[in-house]
């Protein structure tokens, strides 16, 4: 709209200038056109047919053909060059200013609004270059002849009135919310919605206290758009009109000078709807978060009855409207003029102590507010006693139970409120378990005539039955009053172990059956598999810890593999903000990768501060390159050179390419594995390090290229590189891209992905903001002859579900030069709901014990009963078939691991490894923002390991069921396992069982990050 308004102002100015009627405009000094100035016509978008009076955004492109070099440069000020209309027909244009300086030999495009004459006929548009303030013109005359102006021509922008709920009569000052429906009668779609308005053409614009209302949806030609427009009638009685027209911001403005909506309205008489407040029980004082039932009584003082049709409400006008936990209460019975109605509803006090105002007003759905506002002051006092309050006095609940067997829970609650609990008023204890009938009993209420005075206690004895399935469960109960709801503290008891054992044999579904008290033998005294807890807050809890001593660094990325080719696995960690030491000037945030030799001795060194005892270091090439940043793959181990030795591939996602000329394009380095990986390797050295085999540079600035995975996707026996560019703009801003690059001898030197010179298979993100290229996994999950490619796309949006997320599976071998997503993937998985971030982490491997390989996909904000807890979803590879699995309708998962608490971010990272040596791959479910033991360590992070087994099935809720190993982050905000490259599983000590390393990018005393490795001895 800003550009449009500037053109209108230019039009008014020119009309005034021309009106002076002489060469010296308004007494201003007439600018002279420089000698040699000339112009040639290139092209235009002026149409050959228009509707009478139609307004279109058009362009004319001209070439500066001046002959005196710089003297003929077209400037934007002093003087201002412009494209002027010439000839007799105005077409609504006088001139359009030059928007950018144009030197000789170059083109410039003028964009302006063209308005067709209102009289049908054939017209010619003419224009020519000139200077503002000079009446002479120069260069080629642009002449577009034969423009047919006819009402038979379909118009591009058209609006037709359909309907409105505006009443014929309103009282002075009456407020309503009306609907206005208009039809798109043009040939162009109204999109994007943010550019289209239903705009006032009233006089004055604010006649109805509303000037415009933004379009809420894309409207195709012929479709109808409905607007909700809040209005307030003028205060003076009289006859008025409500006038509106569609308006396209930034281009054509109003579709037409005529009104699309023109509704006559009479303003006068008494208000049909009005009320007075005659009483209320809104409290003057409440305790923080206190719940209370209140009443408000109103009298109908208007001229119309209030029907009981679900449209009349007592409505909150608080800020926010849910300040008191509710925002409306519907009228429960019809109320005639002069009669009264009492609204009864619950309010909850704000959690913060202070002074507030309770504000309520009558409201009609689809119409709006009417009548006065009820304002009642409220003091929230931290020392006040709530009317209803309860605390947990004691609980007697067994910690071990047998599946399906009866037992007794005894829970004693204390009345900590100011009101007496009275039965049988629906006051009692009520289940808050998930599901509510988990223990078969859901409630127990006070008996008839029974009372519990303030500070008194009541013991509820519940005869329960244990769940039929073995596992770990919680008991959760809370006081409840009919008409009010839950109040007071929750009586929670966890964990309760439900077993199938105790009969002397190992029954079907059991993992053990012993009643001894020996710790560490795999079974608890109740025959349940023991939970092994590793709390990193305890010194020595990890078998090896690598620490960054510098404040606010990010040591967290970890990869494991034998990159030195000495037969011993190496542990590679990275700190993206590390400052490189003295090889030339120190480079802030260049990033450093550290390599540590594995073997049994790796776990005997306790805690190490990097770079102490590192076998090698790799320094980032330039300041702020952030080598090894914990954002996507970033450090990967695998043979891509075809020599049988694992190579080290590292990313500098903020690298700027050759000569630092491509900001944040990203760089990926391939370091040849073997004995050359030793000592200090400086990627910024004048002479390239001997170990550096190849350097990849992102195709465009801002792409943030990184390495995602290595595997043989082409079927030639050599590992291939999978690189991601999540911020590439090929299919729109930040649509992202993935590049599959065949391994082998061609991987050498500098390879610029804007012109790679080698075969590159490209997979493109579908739309803007898809950010494809953050995570990938390569392994065979389809049974094909070669590895398959699985891509995570957590930002994927479709069907109106923003960031629902997706994963796409491509069956190897990949042999096409370009693959576009979606359309070509054999497999597509779609997240269930908005903001699930499904596809944020991936893993492929046999966790269920079938003959096939299983697919695991993380979604760090997947929901449990509407709450974002995060999840890991497992699909049985034996039953996977090509096609689309939409979790919004049916997912077909064999197992779903759900996070324990809201915003734990379960599934934030994924990796698989056989920790207990039983042949099944085990699953560490990482909750990067979990809150540690008893939820007392905010965002410390948690990793719960579930041992793979054929018995894994159904939904496994971490709030109810423990895994076999749990690892807690050492301190609040450590974010253990939050990032995909921050977790790795491999056999470091060569004992046949996978060991686990997990990064905490804000861990350590200095918050510089830490990586903790757990030796598998289970």
């Amino acid at each position: 709209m800003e550009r449009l308004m500037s053109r209108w102002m230019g039009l008014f100015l020119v009309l005034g200038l021309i009106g002076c009627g002489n060469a010296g405009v308004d007494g201003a000094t007439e600018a002279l056109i420089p000698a040699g100035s000339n112009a040639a016509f290139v092209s235009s978008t002026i149409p050959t047919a228009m509707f009478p009076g139609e307004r279109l955004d058009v362009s004319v492109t001209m070439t500066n053909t001046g002959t005196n070099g710089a003297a003929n440069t077209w400037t934007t000020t002093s003087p201002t060059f412009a494209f002027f209309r010439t000839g007799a027909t105005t077409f609504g244009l006088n001139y359009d200013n030059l928007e950018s300086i144009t030197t000789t030999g170059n083109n410039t495009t003028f964009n302006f609004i063209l308005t067709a004459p209102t009289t049908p006929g054939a017209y010619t548009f003419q224009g020519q270059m000139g200077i503002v303030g000079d009446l002479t013109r120069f260069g080629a005359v642009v002449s577009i002849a034969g423009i047919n102006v006819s009402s038979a021509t379909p118009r591009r922008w058209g609006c037709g009135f359909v309907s409105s709920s505006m009443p014929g009569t309103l009282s002075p000052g009456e407020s309503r919310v009306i609907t206005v429906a208009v039809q798109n009668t043009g040939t162009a779609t109204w999109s994007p919605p943010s550019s289209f308005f239903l705009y006032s053409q009233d006089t004055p614009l604010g006649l109805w206290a509303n000037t415009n209302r933004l379009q809420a949806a894309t409207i195709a030609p012929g479709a109808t758009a409905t607007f909700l427009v809040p209005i307030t009638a003028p205060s003076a009685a009289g006859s008025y009109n409500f006038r509106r027209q569609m308006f396209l911001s930034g281009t054509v403005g109003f579709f037409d000078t005529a009104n699309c909506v023109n509704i006559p309205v009479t303003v006068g008489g008494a208000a049909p709807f009005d009320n007075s407040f005659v009483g209320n029980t809104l409290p003057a004082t409440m305790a923080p978060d206190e719940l209370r039932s209140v009443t408000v009584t109103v009298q109908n003082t208007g001229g119309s009855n209030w029907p009981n049709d679900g449209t009349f409400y007592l409505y909150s006008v608080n800020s926010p409207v849910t300040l008191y936990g509710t925002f409306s209460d519907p009228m429960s019975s019809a109320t005639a003029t002069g009669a009264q109605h009492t609204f009864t509803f619950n309010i909850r006090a704000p959690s913060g102590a202070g002074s507030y105002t309770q504000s309520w007003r009558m409201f009609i759905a689809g119409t709006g507010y009417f009548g006065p506002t009820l304002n009642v002051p409220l003091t929230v006092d931290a020392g006040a006693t709530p009317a209803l309050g309860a605390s947990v006095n004691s609980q007697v609940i067994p910690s071990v139970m047998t599946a399906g067997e009866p037992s007794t829970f005894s829970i004693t609650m204390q009345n900590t409120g100011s009101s007496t609990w009275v039965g049988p008023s629906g006051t009692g204890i009520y289940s808050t378990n998930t599901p509510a009938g988990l223990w078969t009993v859901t409630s127990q209420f006070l008996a008839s005539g029974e009372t519990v005075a303030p500070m008194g206690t009541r013991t509820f004895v519940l005869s329960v039955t244990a769940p039929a399935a073995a596992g770990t469960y919680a008991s959760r109960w809370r006081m409840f009053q009919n008409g009010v709801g839950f109040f007071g503290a929750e009586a929670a008891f966890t964990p309760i172990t439900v077993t199938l054992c105790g009969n002397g044999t190992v029954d079907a579904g059991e993992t053990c059956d012993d009643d001894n008290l020996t710790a560490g033998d795999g079974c608890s005294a109740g025959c349940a598999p023991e939970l092994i807890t590793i709390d990193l807050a305890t010194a020595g809890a990890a078998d090896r810890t690598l620490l960054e001593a510098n404040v606010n660094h990010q040591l967290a990325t970890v990869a494991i593999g034998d990159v030195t080719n000495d037969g011993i696995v190496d542990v590679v960690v990275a700190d993206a903000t590390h400052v490189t030491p003295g090889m030339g000037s120190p480079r802030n945030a260049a990033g450093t990768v550290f390599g540590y030799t594995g073997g049994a001795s790796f776990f005997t060194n306790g805690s190490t501060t990097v770079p102490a005892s590192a076998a090698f270091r790799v320094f980032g090439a330039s300041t702020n390159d952030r080598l090894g940043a914990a954002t996507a793959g970033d450090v990967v181990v695998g043979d891509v050179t075809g020599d049988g030795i694992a190579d080290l591939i590292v990313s500098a996602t903020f690298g700027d390419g050759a000569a630092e000329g491509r900001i944040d394009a990203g760089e990926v380095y391939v370091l040849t594995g073997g004995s050359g990986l030793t000592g200090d390797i400086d990627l910024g050295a004048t002479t390239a390090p001997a170990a550096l085999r190849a350097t990849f540079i992102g195709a465009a600035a801002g792409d943030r290229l990184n390495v995602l995975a290595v595997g043989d996707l082409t079927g030639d026996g050599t590992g291939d590189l999978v690189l991601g560019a999540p911020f590439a703009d090929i299919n729109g801003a930040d649509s992202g891209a993935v590049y599959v690059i065949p391994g082998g001898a061609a991987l050498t030197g500098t390879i610029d992905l804007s012109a790679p010179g080698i075969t590159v298979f490209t997979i493109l993100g579908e739309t803007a903001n898809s950010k494809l290229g953050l995570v990938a996994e390569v392994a065979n999950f389809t049974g094909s002859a070669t590895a398959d490619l699985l891509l995570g796309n957590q930002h994927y949006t479709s069907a109106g579900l923003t960031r629902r997320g997706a994963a796409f599976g491509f069956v190897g071998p990949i042999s096409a030069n370009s693959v576009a997503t979606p359309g070509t993937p054999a497999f597509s998985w779609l997240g269930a709901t908005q903001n699930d971030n499904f596809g944020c982490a991936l893993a492929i491997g046999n966790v269920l014990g079938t003959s096939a390989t299983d697919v695991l996909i993380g979604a760090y904000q997947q929901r449990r009963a509407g709450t974002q807890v995060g999840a890991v979803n497992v699909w049985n590879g034996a039953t996977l078939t090509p096609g689309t699995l939409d979790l919004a309708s049916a997912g077909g998962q064999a197992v779903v691991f759900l996070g324990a608490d809201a915003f734990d971010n379960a599934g934030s990272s994924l990796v698989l490894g056989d920790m207990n040596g039983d042949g099944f791959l085990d699953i560490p479910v990482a909750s990067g923002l979990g809150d540690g033991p008893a939820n007392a360590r905010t965002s410390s992070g948690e990793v719960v390991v579930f041992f793979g087994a054929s018995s894994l099935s159904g939904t496994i809720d971490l709030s109810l069921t423990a895994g076999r190993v749990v690892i807690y982050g050492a301190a609040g905000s450590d974010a253990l396992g939050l990032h995909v490259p921050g977790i790795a599983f491999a056999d470091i000590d060569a004992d046949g069982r996978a060991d686990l390393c997990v990064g905490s990018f804000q861990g350590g005393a200095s918050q510089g990050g830490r990586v903790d490795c757990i030796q598998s001895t289970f």
Side-chain angles (χ1 to χ4, degrees):
M1 185 170 180
E2 189 174 287
R3 185 182 69 163
L4 179 64
M5 292 303 294
S6 69
R7 291 179 182 170
W8 287 349
M9 291 303 293
L11 172 62
F12 298 151
L13 175 61
V14 170
L15 290 175
L17 295 177
I18 292 175
C20 295
N22 55 56
V25 180
D26 269 353
T29 301
E30 183 175 298
L32 297 177
I33 296 173
S37 293
N38 206 351
F41 172 63
V42 177
S43 63
S44 86
T45 62
I46 295 174
T48 58
M50 295 181 70
F51 190 88
E54 178 178 8
R55 293 168 54 82
L56 294 177
D57 193 1
V58 300
S59 66
V60 171
T61 300
M62 304 292 292
T63 298
N64 183 344
T65 59
T67 58
N68 286 338
N72 291 137
T73 295
W74 297 350
T75 54
T76 58
T77 57
S78 300
T80 301
F81 283 75
F83 181 75
F84 288 80
R85 175 195 59 81
T86 61
T89 305
T90 68
F91 278 93
L93 168 77
N94 278 280
Y95 71 85
D96 187 47
N97 285 354
L98 183 73
E99 295 184 2
S100 61
I101 294 173
T102 305
T103 56
T104 57
N106 289 309
N107 293 350
T108 189
T109 298
F110 297 90
N111 298 286
F112 51 90
I113 304 302
L114 197 70
T115 303
T118 57
T119 303
Y123 294 88
T124 298
F125 172 87
Q126 290 185 335
Q128 194 175 13
M129 291 297 299
I131 292 177
V132 176
D134 188 338
L135 298 182
T136 59
R137 305 288 177 254
F138 67 90
V141 175
V142 177
S143 182
I144 311 296
I147 301 176
N148 181 30
V149 176
S150 168
S151 58
T153 301
R155 61 188 307 160
R156 185 184 305 174
W157 305 112
C159 170
F161 177 70
V162 176
S163 64
S164 170
S165 66
M166 171 71 86
T169 302
L170 291 169
S171 61
E174 181 179 351
S175 295
R176 291 278 186 113
V177 177
I178 66 168
T179 60
V180 179
V182 295
Q183 184 182 37
N184 180 351
T185 58
T187 60
T189 298
W190 299 353
S191 178
S194 59
S195 298
F196 289 82
F197 298 78
L198 185 66
Y199 207 94
S200 169
Q201 289 186 313
D202 299 309
T203 303
L205 287 179
L207 176 65
W208 299 95
N210 176 272
T211 58
N212 64 78
R213 184 57 93 195
L214 188 64
Q215 170 68 24
T218 297
I219 305 299
T224 297
T226 300
F227 298 87
L228 291 176
V229 184
I231 63 164
T232 300
S235 57
S239 297
Y240 298 87
N241 283 72
F242 176 80
R243 299 182 174 97
R244 293 293 186 273
Q245 176 59 269
M246 286 300 297
F247 186 95
L248 176 54
S249 174
T251 56
V252 300
F254 284 116
F255 285 10
D256 203 319
T257 55
N259 308 128
C260 177
V261 179
N262 191 354
I263 304 171
V265 183
T266 299
V267 176
F273 297 110
D274 203 356
N275 74 281
S276 63
F277 291 98
V278 297
N280 68 83
T281 60
L282 295 170
T285 303
M286 295 179 74
D289 289 315
E290 178 185 353
L291 185 68
R292 191 161 317 174
S293 179
V294 298
T295 62
V296 174
T297 301
V298 298
Q299 184 170 15
N300 182 350
T301 59
S304 300
N305 296 335
W306 300 348
N308 181 25
D309 60 358
T311 60
F312 282 73
Y313 292 81
L314 181 67
Y315 212 89
S316 166
V317 286
N318 299 287
S319 182
V321 294
T322 55
L323 177 64
Y324 300 105
T326 186
F327 63 89
S328 66
D329 188 53
M331 198 170 66
S332 58
S333 60
T335 305
T337 298
Q340 296 181 359
H341 182 84
T342 298
F343 293 89
T344 301
F345 55 99
N346 297 330
I347 63 170
R348 184 179 296 279
S351 57
S355 298
Y356 299 84
T357 299
Q358 304 164 81
S359 299
W360 302 87
R361 192 178 177 192
M362 288 299 295
F363 182 85
I364 305 175
T367 300
Y369 294 104
F370 69 88
T373 300
L374 173 65
N375 293 306
V376 177
L378 170 66
T379 299
V380 177
D381 184 354
T385 300
L388 289 173
S391 64
V392 183
N393 183 280
S394 63
Q395 297 187 75
V396 180
I397 296 176
S399 59
V400 178
M401 300 172 65
T402 301
E405 295 296 320
S407 188
T408 299
F409 290 178
S410 177
I411 304 171
T412 300
M413 303 296 293
Q414 185 171 32
N415 182 353
T416 57
S418 60
S419 301
T420 297
W421 300 346
V422 178
S425 61
T427 301
I429 200 167
Y430 205 93
S431 168
T432 51
N433 297 289
T434 304
L438 177 66
W439 301 101
T440 64
V441 175
T442 58
S443 62
Q444 186 180 113
F445 292 95
L446 301 182
S448 178
E450 182 181 4
T451 61
V452 180
M455 302 311 295
T457 60
R458 169 59 149 89
T459 299
F460 297 90
V461 179
L462 306 169
S463 297
V464 304
T465 301
T472 303
Y473 297 89
S475 164
R476 300 184 185 277
W477 308 82
R478 196 174 175 198
M479 290 301 297
F480 183 89
Q481 186 176 94
N482 285 342
V484 177
F486 291 106
F487 64 90
E490 183 181 63
F493 184 89
T494 184
I496 302 171
T497 301
V498 174
T499 74
L500 297 173
C501 62
N503 59 3
T505 62
V506 178
D507 296 326
E510 292 182 0
T511 58
C512 56
D513 192 326
D514 73 354
D515 286 316
N516 66 56
L517 301 179
T518 301
D521 65 349
C523 293
S524 69
C527 293
E530 289 179 327
L531 176 66
I532 300 164
T533 300
I534 299 171
D535 190 343
L536 297 178
T538 303
D543 300 293
R544 180 69 182 274
T545 300
L546 300 172
L547 294 168
E548 170 62 74
N550 294 294
V551 176
N552 294 327
H553 279 228
Q554 293 182 358
L555 183 73
T557 300
V558 57
I560 306 173
D562 182 12
V563 293
T564 56
N565 197 34
D566 60 358
I568 302 173
V569 168
D570 307 296
V571 177
V572 181
V573 297
D575 176 1
T577 56
H578 196 81
V579 180
T580 62
M583 289 190 171
S585 301
R587 305 170 203 136
N588 291 326
T592 302
V593 174
F594 306 89
Y596 286 83
T597 302
S601 61
F602 176 80
F603 292 108
T604 63
N605 291 323
S607 180
T608 301
T609 300
V610 298
S613 72
F616 63 86
R617 295 185 293 177
V618 182
F619 300 134
S622 303
T623 297
N624 293 322
D625 271 9
R626 299 177 67 85
L627 189 74
T631 55
D634 295 305
V635 176
V636 173
V637 173
D639 179 17
V640 294
T641 57
D643 61 359
I645 300 172
D647 305 303
L648 178 64
I649 305 101
V650 296
S651 309
T653 53
F654 290 85
D656 300 330
E660 309 298 306
R662 197 175 295 168
I663 303 300
D664 295 346
E667 301 163 5
V668 173
Y669 302 90
V670 178
L671 301 172
T672 303
S675 58
L677 286 180
T678 185
D680 290 339
I681 301 169
D682 188 359
L683 296 175
T686 304
T687 301
L692 179 60
R693 170 68 175 263
T695 302
F696 289 86
I697 299 174
D703 277 8
R704 297 190 193 176
L705 188 71
N706 64 97
V707 61
L708 301 179
V710 168
D712 182 12
L713 288 167
T714 57
D716 63 357
T718 301
D720 307 311
L721 269 176
V722 181
L723 307 182
F727 295 90
D729 299 332
I730 301 170
N731 270 352
D734 297 343
S735 54
V738 171
Y739 305 101
V740 178
I741 300 169
L747 293 187
T748 184
T750 298
I751 301 171
D752 187 338
L753 290 178
S754 67
I758 61 173
T759 300
V760 176
F761 307 143
T762 305
I763 303 172
L764 301 178
E766 180 184 3
T767 60
N769 298 313
S770 287
K771 295 184 178 64
L772 183 73
L774 287 170
V775 63
E777 188 75 2
V778 175
N780 190 331
F781 64 89
T782 63
S784 62
T786 59
D788 307 309
L789 176 62
L790 184 62
L791 299 180
N793 198 178
Q794 71 184 69
H795 293 266
Y796 184 81
T797 295
S798 69
L801 302 177
T802 303
R803 289 186 66 161
R804 68 187 304 188
F808 302 103
F810 298 86
V811 179
I814 292 179
S815 57
N817 281 332
S818 181
V819 182
T821 300
T824 56
F827 299 82
S828 295
W829 293 262
L830 304 180
T833 59
Q834 182 161 296
N835 292 322
D836 271 8
N837 287 277
F838 179 87
C840 66
L842 308 170
I844 302 172
N846 189 342
V847 299
L848 300 177
T850 67
S851 58
T853 306
D854 310 307
V855 172
L856 294 83
I857 304 176
Y860 72 78
Q861 288 192 349
Q862 190 168 319
R863 289 155 173 77
R864 177 186 61 220
T867 299
Q868 294 176 335
V869 295
V872 172
N873 303 270
V874 184
W875 278 270
N876 189 327
T879 60
L880 271 180
T881 56
T884 297
L885 289 171
D886 189 339
L887 272 67
S889 53
Q893 302 97 312
V895 188
V896 179
F897 298 91
L898 289 174
D901 299 296
F903 303 109
D904 269 8
N905 280 31
S908 53
S909 60
L910 265 178
V911 70
L912 302 177
D914 187 1
M915 202 171 194
N916 59 352
D918 65 353
F920 294 91
L921 293 177
D922 306 317
I923 310 162
V925 178
S927 298
L929 296 182
D931 298 328
N935 284 339
R937 201 177 292 164
T938 302
S939 298
S940 60
E942 306 165 7
V943 176
V944 180
V945 180
F946 288 84
F947 287 172
S950 58
S951 59
L952 282 177
S953 63
T955 299
I956 299 175
D957 189 333
L958 271 66
S959 69
L960 302 173
T961 305
R964 291 303 310 278
V965 181
V966 60
I967 307 167
Y968 294 119
S973 299
D974 272 11
L976 178 77
L978 180 64
H979 297 293
V980 168
I983 187 166
F985 239 148
D987 186 4
I988 298 172
D989 57 358
D991 67 349
R993 291 176 292 189
D995 309 298
L996 180 64
C997 293
V998 189
S1000 302
F1001 85 108
Q1002 293 188 136
S1006 66
Q1007 293 186 325
R1010 61 188 283 170
V1011 174
D1012 295 277
C1013 295
I1014 311 300
Q1015 185 178 23
S1016 180
T1017 57
F1018 315 116

